[in-house]
């Protein structure tokens, strides 16, 4: 049984060590609660953030059989913290009791069916999310009712504020104590330092005082990097660091949430809590899925090593003999497998001295067909049976001038070979099942990541349509914009997973007008940044250029390439898009922008996931580094074409896409409906599918 991080180690420790650890956690929760109350807004009924909730849950989880006692201790220290913070005694006591109930409920949900809570896989993260919802809902009801009854506060806003502040604290703080040490992954120290530096830089840049750009999605990129590549404990620590830095820097007037402080702290606080909840849920689910897939890969590697060792160490029977005077075989070498195949436990001494007579009335090895072949000097293969085992015997004769003729017998254990083949088939079947499990992991991650983002986006879009004050409208736009960007990141990750999936069924190809499809791409790209007035000029043949392909895939490629070209072009610049129909087997699509270009040293690397050119102009443009890898994957694995980049690093970039005219498995299209309007409809459907992930 693996230990569940700090909780597991305290749970398994001796009584004295466990008690000291729990007391330390309880006291720390009290100190943090004092700080939270003192730092809360003036006249606020509740604190902006309550990390003591996570510490309290960890303390209760670490106890063994006396959770009620630890929960009462939590009630006492948090009550004292509230009193020190200036709250009335009765209010402080009721708030402390609510904290104790929350911690007990979280521990109870997390340990259902297991003595020690862990954070190893997707099921564990789902359980943590459920425990967070139950615990934060309980304190929202209890403390919200207290604030309503004793402090005259509105119940619903207070309860919602408690729900968000405690949920974010539980999701951010608790994982550090639950991560198993056995989940540590080997990673290059250089990569680890780069990833940590990326988190520090992105969080610092996004929330630094004075910077109010709506870039709250940027740190998510670095945290996803950690979730995919680094140990979960690193992810958990970075979540806490991100939460602390975000809260402190926002309070200092930095980041996209600080602009709402003039309307009161509530909007800013709620935005920060939503930000932390989305980040925590997203990266924890990705890291858990990565852990489960790593476990599957490890198990598969162990099975492969076992199979390889069995094949290498298996013994093939070998017998080598000289033919003396054309009448006798003198055995010069034989192994145990060969002797076993001919029914002997050891070789008679006479075989190596006088030899074995080969006359017709003599027994050679005691197997009639094998003996007949040897007497007739007939090379080839025979099959013999010994008990429940079968052997293939390959017979060969060598008669070089000046030396004695030699006969070799190679005994292959067919029974063992069949067993190995069955094992190989079983492993292949395991590979198929494991691939299906991987697809299930990605599907689960997709659901769990999309659900919170979709909820945020849905409510934000409703708010956008409501009559709100100017500041609230701006907040709504920021929420919606960042939610869409998060949705884009999630869609890009899932698209890359689909492209690398083994056996993924491609869409059926059909005939389509490439010119019409590219024209729709140009129209949509022209509307990406109307304020910057970047134009997309299309040059294409006036006649339809019909190809056989999948319109959704080509539209996705064109959309990504044109999006990059528009983003990196200067204000008022022009992106030149052309369709060149002068080759027999392919059609060329060429995109030329007026951006800063790509340095020669970076050109080979831009196809790598998360890679971004580190020049000042490129860093100014937001992005995830996933667009070009997706383009390359679509072009090579689905479209069957080629794509190239040309740039001198100073005066723009040229993208050259070559699309084949024909493709196998085409869907028959009725010629009578293959007109311009049909092609246009297909192109519009393709672009709708290409935008589906972001919308």
């Amino acid at each position: 049984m693996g230990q569940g991080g700090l909780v597991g180690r305290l749970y398994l420790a001796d009584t004295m060590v466990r008690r000291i650890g729990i007391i330390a956690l309880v006291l720390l929760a009290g100190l943090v609660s004092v700080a939270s109350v003192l730092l809360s807004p003036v006249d606020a009924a509740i604190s902006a953030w309550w990390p003591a909730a996570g510490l309290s849950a960890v303390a209760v989880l670490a106890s063994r059989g006396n959770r009620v006692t630890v929960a009462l201790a939590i009630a006492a220290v948090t009550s004292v913290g509230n009193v020190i913070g200036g709250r009335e005694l009765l209010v402080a006591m009721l708030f402390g009791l609510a904290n104790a109930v929350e911690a007990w409920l979280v521990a109870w949900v997390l340990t259902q069916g297991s003595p020690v809570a862990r954070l190893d896989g997707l099921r564990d993260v789902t359980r943590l999310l459920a425990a967070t919802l139950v615990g934060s809902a309980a304190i929202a009801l209890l403390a919200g009712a207290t604030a309503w009854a004793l402090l005259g506060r509105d119940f619903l806003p207070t309860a919602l504020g408690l729900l968000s502040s405690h949920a974010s604290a539980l999701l951010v703080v608790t994982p550090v104590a639950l991560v198993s040490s056995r989940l540590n992954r080997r990673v290059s120290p250089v990569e680890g330092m780069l990833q940590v530096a990326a988190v520090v830089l992105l969080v610092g840049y996004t929330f630094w005082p004075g910077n109010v750009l709506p870039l709250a999605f940027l740190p998510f990129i670095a945290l996803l990097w950690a979730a995919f590549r680094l140990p979960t404990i690193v992810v958990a620590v970075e979540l806490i660091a991100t939460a602390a830095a975000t809260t402190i820097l926002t309070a200092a007037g930095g980041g996209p949430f600080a602009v709402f402080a003039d309307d009161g702290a509530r909007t800013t606080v709620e935005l920060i809590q939503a930000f932390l909840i989305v980040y925590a849920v997203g990266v924890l689910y990705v890291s858990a899925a990565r852990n489960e897939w790593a476990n599957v890969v490890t198990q598969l590697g162990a099975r492969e090593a076992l199979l390889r060792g069995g094949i290498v160490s298996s013994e093939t029977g070998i017998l080598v003999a000289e033919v003396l005077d054309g009448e006798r075989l003198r055995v010069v070498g034989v192994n145990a497998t060969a002797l076993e195949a001919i029914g002997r436990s050891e070789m008679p001494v006479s075989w190596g001295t006088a030899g074995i007579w080969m006359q017709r009335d003599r027994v050679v090895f005691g197997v009639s067909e094998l003996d007949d072949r040897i007497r007739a000097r007939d090379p080839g293969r025979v099959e013999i049976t010994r008990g429940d085992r079968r052997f293939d015997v390959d017979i060969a004769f060598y008669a070089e001038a000046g030396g004695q003729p030699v006969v070799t017998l190679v005994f292959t254990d067919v029974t063992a070979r069949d067993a190995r083949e069955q094992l190989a088939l079983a492993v292949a079947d395991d590979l198929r099942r494991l691939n299906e499990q991987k697809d299930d992991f990605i599907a689960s991650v997709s659901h769990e990541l999309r659900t919170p983002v979709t909820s945020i986006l849905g409510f934000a879009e409703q708010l956008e349509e409501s009559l709100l004050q100017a500041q609230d409208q701006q907040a709504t736009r920021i929420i919606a914009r960042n939610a869409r960007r998060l949705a884009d990141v999630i869609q890009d990750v899932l698209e890359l997973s689909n492209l690398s999936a083994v056996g993924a069924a491609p869409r059926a190809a059909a005939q389509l007008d490439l010119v019409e499809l590219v024209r729709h791409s140009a129209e949509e790209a022209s509307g990406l940044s109307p304020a910057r007035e970047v134009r997309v000029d299309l040059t294409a043949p006036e006649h339809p250029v019909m190809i056989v392909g999948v319109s959704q895939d080509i539209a996705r490629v064109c959309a990504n390439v044109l999006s990059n070209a528009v983003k990196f072009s200067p204000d008022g610049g022009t992106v030149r898009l052309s369709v060149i129909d002068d080759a027999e087997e392919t059609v060329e699509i060429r995109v030329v922008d007026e951006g800063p270009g790509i340095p020669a040293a970076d050109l080979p690397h831009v196809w790598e996931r998360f890679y971004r050119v580190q020049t000042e102009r490129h860093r100014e443009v937001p992005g995830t580094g996933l667009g070009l890898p997706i383009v390359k994957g679509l072009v090579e694995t689905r479209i069957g074409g080629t794509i190239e980049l040309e740039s001198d690093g100073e005066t723009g970039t040229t993208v050259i896409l070559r699309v084949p005219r024909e493709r196998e498995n085409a869907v028959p299209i009725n010629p009578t409906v293959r007109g311009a309007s049909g092609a246009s409809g297909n192109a519009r459907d393709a672009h709708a599918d290409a935008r589906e992930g972001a919308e």
Side-chain angles (χ1 to χ4, degrees), residues 89-126:
L89 178 61
L90 180 59
V91 174
M93 292 177 62
L94 291 176
F95 278 176
L97 180 61
N99 277 279
V101 172
E102 175 192 39
W104 188 90
L105 284 173
V106 170
W108 179 76
V109 174
L110 282 175
T111 55
Q112 285 299 297
S114 175
V116 180
R118 297 183 182 84
L119 199 64
D120 293 1
L122 289 170
R123 181 176 297 179
D124 299 326
V125 177
T126 301

Side-chain angles (χ1 to χ4, degrees), residues 577-616:
L577 171 64
S578 56
V579 178
I580 303 172
D581 183 24
D582 58 4
E584 182 177 350
E585 297 183 354
T586 61
V587 181
E588 183 177 300
I589 300 174
R590 187 177 291 257
V591 179
V592 182
D593 63 48
E594 298 175 349
I598 302 174
D602 292 306
L603 279 173
H605 302 290
V606 295
W607 307 111
E608 300 172 5
R609 300 180 182 186
F610 300 109
Y611 185 87
R612 298 202 67 200
V613 177
Q614 295 303 308
T615 64
E616 181 178 358

Side-chain angles (χ1 to χ4, degrees), residues 90 97 108 208 234 251 279 285 324 534 541 562 585 592 600 616 628:
L90 180 59
L97 180 61
W108 179 76
W208 196 255
V234 175
Y279 269 38
Y285 267 109
L324 302 178
V534 177
L562 287 171
E585 297 183 354
V592 182
E616 181 178 358
L628 288 180

Side-chain angles (χ1 to χ4, degrees), residues 266-611:
R266 178 181 168 187
T267 301
T268 299
V269 169
E270 290 178 352
L271 287 173
I272 292 176
Q273 304 312 321
F275 164 84
L276 295 178
I277 290 171
V278 171
Y279 269 38
V281 171
V283 299
L284 288 176
Y285 267 109
V286 171
S287 183
R290 173 65 175 80
N291 288 336
E292 292 194 3
W293 179 240
N295 290 336
V296 171
V297 171
T298 300
Q299 295 173 11
L300 176 60
R303 294 186 183 185
E304 287 180 336
L306 178 63
L307 176 61
R308 183 175 301 171
I311 293 175
V312 171
S313 62
S314 65
E315 296 182 353
T316 299
I318 299 175
L319 185 147
V320 181
E322 294 178 331
V323 180
L324 302 178
D325 304 327
E327 296 180 345
R328 290 175 295 147
L329 287 178
R330 186 172 67 87
V331 179
V332 296
V334 64
N335 65 5
T337 303
L339 289 172
E340 184 180 0
I342 58 180
R344 292 183 177 270
S345 58
E346 59 182 13
M347 185 184 79
V349 177
S350 61
W351 283 14
T353 55
I356 308 170
W357 292 96
M358 294 189 300
Q359 285 88 348
R360 186 170 293 279
D361 58 344
R362 299 286 185 95
V363 174
V364 182
F365 293 115
V367 181
S368 59
E369 186 176 358
L370 177 61
D371 292 354
D372 291 341
R373 287 253 187 170
I374 291 174
R375 294 190 190 99
R377 312 290 197 276
D378 183 13
R381 172 176 291 186
V382 299
E383 181 179 300
I384 64 175
T385 302
R386 183 64 58 187
D388 59 350
R389 300 174 67 185
R390 294 183 300 110
F391 296 86
D392 283 340
V393 186
D394 292 298
I395 308 167
F397 289 88
Y398 303 90
E400 297 293 337
Q404 296 286 354
V406 174
V407 60
T408 62
L409 307 180
V410 178
F411 298 80
T412 303
D413 190 338
V414 178
T415 304
R417 184 183 66 192
D418 290 344
R420 291 195 297 270
E421 290 176 352
Q422 292 298 321
L423 181 59
L425 291 174
V427 171
D429 190 52
D430 287 343
L431 285 171
R432 178 186 56 79
R433 288 197 298 270
L434 291 174
N435 187 64
E436 293 175 354
Q437 291 176 14
K438 185 265 294 181
D439 293 339
D440 292 340
F441 294 162
I442 297 300
S444 178
V445 172
S446 168
H447 172 74
E448 300 299 342
L449 287 177
R450 283 175 171 171
T451 299
V453 174
T454 302
S455 299
I456 294 172
L457 187 57
F459 286 117
E461 289 176 346
Q462 286 185 353
L463 289 173
E464 283 184 315
E465 298 174 358
S466 304
L467 295 177
L468 301 174
Q469 296 180 0
Q471 291 283 355
D472 294 334
Q473 288 178 346
Q474 184 181 3
T476 301
R477 287 195 298 271
I478 291 175
I479 294 172
R481 182 162 58 251
N482 282 286
R484 292 188 185 99
R485 287 174 175 170
L486 283 176
D488 288 341
V489 173
I490 295 168
Q491 182 64 24
D492 286 345
V493 172
L494 293 175
E495 184 67 38
L496 285 173
S497 299
N498 291 334
L499 289 173
S500 61
V502 177
R507 289 186 172 106
Q511 294 189 15
L512 55 93
D513 181 3
L514 186 61
V515 172
E516 189 69 18
L517 191 148
V518 171
R519 182 175 292 111
H520 280 284
S521 297
E523 292 173 356
E524 295 200 358
S526 298
L528 289 176
S529 185
R532 297 178 52 229
E533 298 182 348
V534 177
R535 296 185 299 109
V536 179
D537 287 348
L538 172 63
T539 303
E542 296 184 357
H543 61 273
V545 177
M546 306 304 297
I547 66 169
V548 176
V550 178
S551 57
Q552 292 88 346
D553 294 339
I554 299 174
R556 183 70 185 271
V557 169
C558 292
N560 280 8
V561 171
L562 287 171
S563 173
N564 273 356
V566 171
K567 286 194 300 184
F568 286 101
S569 293
D571 293 353
T574 301
V575 175
R576 296 188 298 278
L577 171 64
S578 56
V579 178
I580 303 172
D581 183 24
D582 58 4
E584 182 177 350
E585 297 183 354
T586 61
V587 181
E588 183 177 300
I589 300 174
R590 187 177 291 257
V591 179
V592 182
D593 63 48
E594 298 175 349
I598 302 174
D602 292 306
L603 279 173
H605 302 290
V606 295
W607 307 111
E608 300 172 5
R609 300 180 182 186
F610 300 109
Y611 185 87

